């Protein structure tokens, strides 16, 4: 099954290279005292988005090295990050005859609709029959975007019957289709909402309630789309969405244009039960990479 998924993925390697490794090398090329090295290292780690908590832990571990050199420093950082990322790999389950529901949420522009198209690309390749619920009923253009993007696939598309229709109604109809027909997977696209807008967040909660009611036995993945380039702000997004619905993990998008690299370590360190399912690696339907911590560490720290 995994093989099939990889066959459909254009590249399993993150495009580009993170800044961290080169920045660390630069620190050691300057012949500085240990204190200066540690001070500069802390600055670099913060600049690379790992967050203060992780940066402090890394510094305290690196400090322990008696003869601090570049190789030892990178080795220590790698091993701490490896520990943080243990158990962070998310995987979508399509087990036996169980039905699976994947709900994507997140703020506007983070890549929900694009990621759904990528998921359709991957999941169709597994021979699964897909229902899409276009529950972003605020913008008719959003429905059209999703319907156009997925038009090349054999999917059941459930959209709004009229503008501003209650997204809950769309999700209800789509859940019924999944329940009654030979479909395996329901993917729900939701309206981009500000995590600060409480009525829209209540609506999201209502959507998950409908799914729970109509499909109590389905395997459910509530996934937040996070734009890697939002830096520390993604932490607020996760916190606020978690205040309304259970969030199992994330698809981190736009890593193709993200050189800082460290935000995933930061998120997983703070939310230890949080899974990273996929990385968005471009705008195309096959620009999606299953998250593998060792590959991500290579991207962060390989020379
Ligand atoms: N470079 C890049 N662009 C992406 C990625 N994912 C989404 N985008 C772009 O981000 C913009 C917003 O995406 P969209 O799916 O409409 O976001 P939504 O509002 O959350 O549904 C679009 O221009 C997408 O092409 C990605 O992984 N890499
Ligand atoms: Mg959208």
């Amino acid at each position: 099954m995994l093989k099939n998924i990889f066959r459909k993925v254009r590249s399993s390697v993150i495009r580009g290279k993170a800044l961290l490794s080169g920045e660390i090398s630069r620190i050691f090329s300057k012949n500085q005292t240990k204190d200066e090295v540690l001070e500069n290292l802390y600055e670099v780690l913060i600049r690379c988005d790992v967050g203060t908590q992780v940066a402090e832990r890394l510094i305290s571990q690196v400090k322990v090295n008696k003869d601090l050199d570049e190789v030892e420093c990178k080795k220590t950082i790698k091993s701490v990050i490896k520990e943080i990322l243990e158990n962070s790999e998310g995987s979508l389950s399509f087990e036996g005859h169980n039905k699976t529901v994947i709900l994507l949420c997140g703020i506007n522009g983070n890549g929900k609709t694009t990621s759904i198209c990528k998921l359709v690309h991957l999941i169709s390749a597994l021979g699964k029959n897909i229902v899409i619920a276009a529950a972003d009923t605020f913008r008719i253009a959003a429905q059209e975007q999703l319907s156009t993007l997925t038009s090349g696939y054999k999917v059941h598309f459930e959209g709004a019957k009229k503008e501003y229709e209650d997204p809950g109604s769309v999700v209800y109809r789509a859940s019924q289709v999944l329940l009654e027909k030979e479909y395996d997977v329901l993917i729900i696209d939701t309206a981009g909402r500000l995590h600060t807008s409480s009525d829209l967040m209540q609506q999201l909660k209502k959507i998950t309630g409908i799914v729970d009611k109509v499909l109590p036995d389905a395997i459910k993945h509530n996934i937040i789309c996070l734009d890697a380039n939002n830096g520390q702000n993604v932490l607020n997004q996760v916190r606020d969405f978690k205040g309304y619905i259970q969030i199992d993990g994330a698809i981190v998008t736009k890593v193709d244009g993200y050189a800082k690299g460290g935000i995933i370590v930061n998120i997983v360190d703070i939310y230890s039960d949080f899974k990273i399912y996929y990385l968005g690696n471009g705008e195309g339907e096959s620009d999606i990479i299953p998250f593998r911590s060792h590959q991500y560490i290579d991207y962060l720290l390989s020379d």
Side-chain angles (χ1 to χ4, degrees):
M1 184 159 106
L2 212 58
K3 252 192 196 154
N4 275 338
I5 286 189
F6 276 109
R7 212 176 292 146
K8 280 282 161 187
V9 171
R10 182 148 58 207
S11 159
S12 60
V13 178
I14 303 170
R15 289 197 193 120
K17 203 164 143 9
L19 292 171
L20 190 55
S21 184
E23 293 286 305
I24 295 173
S25 304
R26 200 161 33 224
I27 294 173
F28 282 96
S29 71
K30 284 187 186 154
N31 209 1
Q32 296 170 323
T33 64
K34 189 170 177 180
D35 281 348
E36 285 168 336
V37 165
L38 292 172
E39 197 177 306
N40 287 325
L41 181 59
Y42 183 78
E43 241 174 61
V44 162
L45 290 167
I46 294 295
R47 227 181 315 129
C48 290
D49 275 349
V50 302
T52 52
Q53 194 170 293
V54 174
E56 279 164 22
R57 180 148 19 125
L58 290 171
I59 293 293
S60 71
Q61 293 287 322
V62 169
K63 228 187 214 170
V64 176
N65 289 307
K66 229 175 172 184
D67 301 311
L68 186 57
D69 62 15
E70 184 182 338
V71 175
E72 279 306 311
C73 176
K74 286 185 180 171
K75 212 166 114 190
T76 307
I77 292 178
K78 255 186 201 175
S79 85
V80 176
I81 292 181
K82 191 171 168 220
E83 218 173 87
I84 293 172
L85 294 178
E86 223 179 0
N87 305 319
S88 63
E89 293 175 5
S91 70
L92 297 174
S93 3
F94 307 104
E95 286 155 18
H97 296 295
N98 281 333
K99 312 249 178 188
T100 303
V101 181
I102 304 165
L103 174 136
L104 263 74
C105 62
I107 67 168
N108 243 333
N110 275 4
K112 291 177 294 299
T113 306
T114 309
S115 297
I116 285 179
C117 185
K118 293 173 180 179
L119 289 177
V120 167
H121 181 68
L122 290 179
I123 297 167
S124 310
L126 301 173
K128 301 286 174 188
N129 298 323
I130 303 170
V131 182
I132 293 178
D136 182 352
T137 59
F138 292 92
R139 296 181 306 133
I140 278 300
Q143 305 245 337
E144 281 162 8
Q145 181 196 7
L146 188 57
S147 145
T148 307
L149 282 173
T150 54
S151 61
Y153 296 92
K154 223 178 114 230
V155 295
H156 175 99
F157 189 88
E158 195 65 52
K161 298 219 184 291
K162 56 180 193 295
E163 205 168 1
Y164 303 121
E165 187 187 8
D166 176 6
S169 308
V170 177
V171 170
Y172 180 79
R173 286 199 299 273
S175 301
Q176 288 290 346
V177 172
L178 185 74
L179 185 69
E180 289 166 11
K181 305 233 171 84
E182 285 305 299
Y183 288 96
D184 309 294
V185 184
L186 166 63
I187 307 180
I188 304 172
D189 191 17
T190 59
R193 58 204 73 221
L194 278 177
H195 44 305
T196 47
S197 160
S198 84
D199 51 336
L200 281 174
M201 296 298 270
Q202 289 295 351
Q203 208 167 51
L204 189 60
K205 196 170 171 173
K206 187 175 151 195
I207 288 174
T208 58
I210 291 168
V211 170
D212 282 340
K213 211 165 188 178
V214 183
L215 301 159
D217 300 325
I219 300 164
K220 298 175 190 90
H221 301 276
N222 292 343
I223 298 177
I224 186 168
C225 265
L226 300 170
D227 177 344
N229 300 281
N230 282 349
Q232 301 289 305
N233 199 22
V234 303
L235 298 169
N236 300 334
Q237 293 169 26
V238 173
R239 182 199 60 210
D240 293 343
F241 275 82
K242 265 179 168 290
Y244 289 88
I245 62 169
Q246 185 197 320
I247 300 285
D248 300 303
I251 294 178
V252 180
T253 65
K254 309 187 193 182
V255 293
D256 50 308
Y258 174 63
K260 291 179 173 178
I263 194 66
I264 289 176
V265 186
N266 197 350
I267 304 169
V268 172
D269 181 58
I270 291 180
Y271 297 104
S272 54
D273 57 343
F274 199 77
K275 305 288 180 202
I276 307 295
Y277 287 85
Y278 292 100
L279 304 179
N281 199 29
E283 293 183 275
E285 61 183 13
S286 48
D287 293 323
I288 183 164
I289 309 174
F291 178 71
R292 298 287 172 262
S293 57
H294 68 278
Q295 279 176 354
Y296 173 67
I297 291 170
D298 279 350
Y299 155 77
L300 270 186
L301 281 157
S302 68
D303 291 312

